[in-house]
Structures are given as structure tokens and as C-alpha cells.
Amino acid sequence: MCYIRTVYADLHAHTTYSDGVLSPTELVRLAARSGLKVLALTDHDTVEGVPEAQQAGRDLGVRVVPGIEISASFGKSIHVLGLFVDIGAPWLEAHRRTWKEYRSKRIDRICERLASVGVQLDPDAIRAASGEGSVGRPHVARALREAGFVESLDEAFARYLGDGQPGYVAANYTSVEEAIDGIRQSGGVAVLAHPGFYNLDDRLQTWVDAGLDGIECVHPAHRPAVQKRYRDLCSRLGVLPSGGTDYHGDAKRRGHLPGAFGLNEAEFAALEARVTKGQQ
Ligand code: AMP
Ligand code: ZN
Ligand code: FE
Ligand code: FE
């Protein structure tokens, strides 16, 4: 089987409203230049960047799908993408408020833990540098690099911020089931992001029973064999494949441009059709 496809829709991308480095307008401009027809904005725990992206999309001829990447947990951090959400939905606003506070306090805890191994960072400066949206580990990673503790963001995660490292603070708050339910309440389809990171394939059936609509089969971290495994699982479980670049816009791991990974037109149409089906 051949996995070279024409990318029509990139359904996973971040902006300055979370931990990406491009503004929504800059991101959509890049997507337009890459020839993408559809781009989903999926910032961590916020939809604040969507209106600006949609305006840029109208100007530049790119369809912008309103999306979000919900931080959930099941022993470890699990991300659930909400695509085609109604950005005014009350559940999304409640989630954003809870997580904004939670993420902000988490930066203090990460800095305290780092201080205990001799790494002094100023949490207020990290929050200030992160701007208005969701603050997270990539902002700490950038501060570690700027202060000269590491040379790259990858090294920051490997030595300080990744699971099991001295600065690791899990983001345990929302369950996967709550995330799925909240996304569907908000009019969207719920897609399990980058399952290749989790080693939890035996939980997929449970999450499908809880309303999961799709699995992100296509992702830069998924080798072709992994992508195929998840496509087969989608068929078996009766859910749909999704895909995207998880673009963050800096030279951290997987620095692919928007459109390097994603869905073809028919796959995108199938996912979109699920929105109306879910609302019946
Ligand atoms: P947070 O939501 O604060 O837990 O941060 C999650 C973000 O960190 C995700 O967007 C990932 O892309 C990024 N991330 C996780 N692990 C790594 C890593 N090893 N190297 C670079 N970025 C990472
Ligand atoms: Zn991120
Ligand atoms: Fe993610
Ligand atoms: Fe992401």
C-alpha cells in the first residue's frame, strides 16, 4: 500500500494563543503558501485564536476549521482534539478558564522543582513571554534555552521537562471521557491525538464507547507502519482517521511545515460528515 497522498486538510496546528510561535494570521498565510485548502487551529485548551485565523482564512482562501487540543489524562498526559467545535460553547469557555489558572500555577510548580536541582527560572517571566493564551512546558523549554541551561528544546524535554525528569509536573485534571463528552457537547468531533505516544491501544475501545469519533493516524511522529496500524484500528472500531502536522512553528522536534501531513479531500469530507451525524 502506498502512503504518499495529497494533503488537502491539515487538522492539527498551534499558534501564539498556546505554545506555537506564529500568530493565527501568520499560520494561515503559511498554510495558503503550502497550497492547503483546509487548516484546523488546535491550540492547547483554548479557542481564542480561531476568529483571527478565520478572518485570515477568508482573506487568503483557506478554510479554517475551529478546533482545540484538550489536555486530558489517563495515568499520563493524553491529548484529545476537538474539531468543528462551536467556539462560543459554554463547556469550552469553562474548560479554558479552569486550565488557564491550572497551567499558570503549574509553571510555579515546575520552576520550584527545577530550583531544587539548581536551575533558577522566573515563573513570571515565563508567563509574560507566553502572551495571552495557554502557557505550557514549551515556554519553560524556551526559557531554559535562553538561560543557557540547554541548547535545544529537545534537550530541555529530555533533561528537565519530560515524563520522569526533575521538572516534570503532570497535568492531571480532565479525564479522557470528560474531554470527549465536552467536545461533543460543543458541537465538535473528538479525535484522539497522536496515539503513538501513549502505548494505550487497549483503551481505545473504551474511549470509542465513550463517544470518540476518530483517531489521529497521520502525524509526524507516526512512521508509516504506525499510521497503518491506526488506520486498521479505525476500521475495526468504526471511527475515522484524522491527521495533521501538529505544527508549532519553531525548530523543535518535527519541524514540518503546515501541510506536510494531513488528510486527502475524501478523508476530510468523511470526518466533516460525522459532525452532522453526531448532532442528530
Ligand atoms: P504541556 O501542555 O505544557 O504539557 O506541553 C505539551 C507540549 O509539549 C506539546 O505541544 C508537545 O509538542 C510539547 N512536547 C512534549 N514533549 C516534547 C519533547 N520531547 N520535545 C519537544 N516538545 C515536546
Ligand atoms: Zn503544544
Ligand atoms: Fe499534543
Ligand atoms: Fe498539538
Side-chain angles (χ1 to χ4, degrees):
M1 199 180 287
C2 175
Y3 280 97
I4 297 171
R5 324 169 165 257
T6 322
V7 174
Y8 176 87
D10 179 340
L11 300 181
H12 191 158
H14 297 270
T15 74
T16 44
Y17 282 90
S18 63
D19 52 7
V21 300
L22 298 186
S23 71
T25 304
E26 289 165 336
L27 177 71
V28 173
R29 206 176 283 142
L30 198 56
R33 271 207 304 252
S34 313
L36 268 176
K37 299 286 185 255
V38 180
L39 174 77
L41 213 73
T42 56
D43 275 313
H44 298 281
D45 304 308
T46 182
V47 289
E48 290 162 290
V50 170
E52 182 187 323
Q54 285 180 319
Q55 184 55 53
R58 281 189 287 273
D59 296 343
L60 295 163
V62 176
R63 180 171 163 201
V64 173
V65 171
I68 189 164
E69 184 169 15
I70 301 285
S71 303
S73 64
F74 179 74
K76 58 184 93 174
S77 184
I78 308 287
H79 289 170
V80 186
L81 295 165
L83 301 173
F84 308 99
V85 292
D86 165 8
I87 61 169
W91 187 88
L92 293 179
E93 178 55 16
H95 180 84
R96 184 189 70 81
R97 280 173 189 272
T98 308
W99 272 82
K100 196 171 169 87
E101 203 187 319
Y102 186 77
R103 282 181 169 280
S104 174
K105 288 191 184 137
R106 179 171 168 240
I107 296 301
D108 288 323
R109 288 167 60 207
I110 292 174
C111 289
E112 280 162 25
R113 295 195 54 146
L114 290 174
S116 72
V117 294
V119 172
Q120 303 286 347
L121 294 177
D122 175 4
D124 289 330
I126 295 171
R127 278 187 286 262
S130 78
E132 268 307 287
S134 303
V135 64
R137 284 182 292 165
H139 300 108
V140 183
R142 287 172 200 149
L144 283 166
R145 186 180 55 187
E146 268 156 41
F149 291 108
V150 295
E151 282 183 5
S152 68
L153 301 179
D154 261 346
E155 188 189 345
F157 275 86
R159 287 183 52 201
Y160 294 112
L161 301 172
D163 195 348
Q165 300 312 311
Y168 180 70
V169 177
N172 292 325
Y173 207 94
T174 307
S175 72
V176 176
E177 284 81 359
E178 279 169 330
I180 292 169
D181 191 52
I183 288 165
R184 297 184 111 232
Q185 268 182 49
S186 309
V189 297
V191 170
L192 184 68
H194 41 63
F197 288 155
Y198 310 139
N199 198 17
L200 284 172
D201 291 357
D202 53 354
R203 290 299 295 185
L204 289 174
Q205 180 70 62
T206 312
W207 292 334
V208 170
D209 294 343
L212 191 71
D213 297 286
I215 296 174
E216 189 177 49
C217 302
V218 189
H219 184 275
H222 291 176
R223 287 174 293 107
V226 175
Q227 186 187 135
K228 180 174 185 322
R229 184 168 92 234
Y230 287 112
R231 284 181 179 280
D232 291 346
L233 274 166
C234 279
S235 312
R236 204 170 335 134
L237 296 166
V239 296
L240 293 164
S242 187
T245 47
D246 204 354
Y247 184 74
H248 282 75
D250 54 11
K252 71 179 197 186
R253 68 182 173 161
R254 312 190 305 262
H256 304 282
L257 288 175
F261 293 86
L263 297 184
N264 67 27
E265 190 169 359
E267 290 165 336
F268 174 72
L271 206 53
E272 188 176 20
R274 185 98 178 187
V275 183
T276 17
K277 204 173 149 214
Q279 286 166 352
Q280 274 167 5

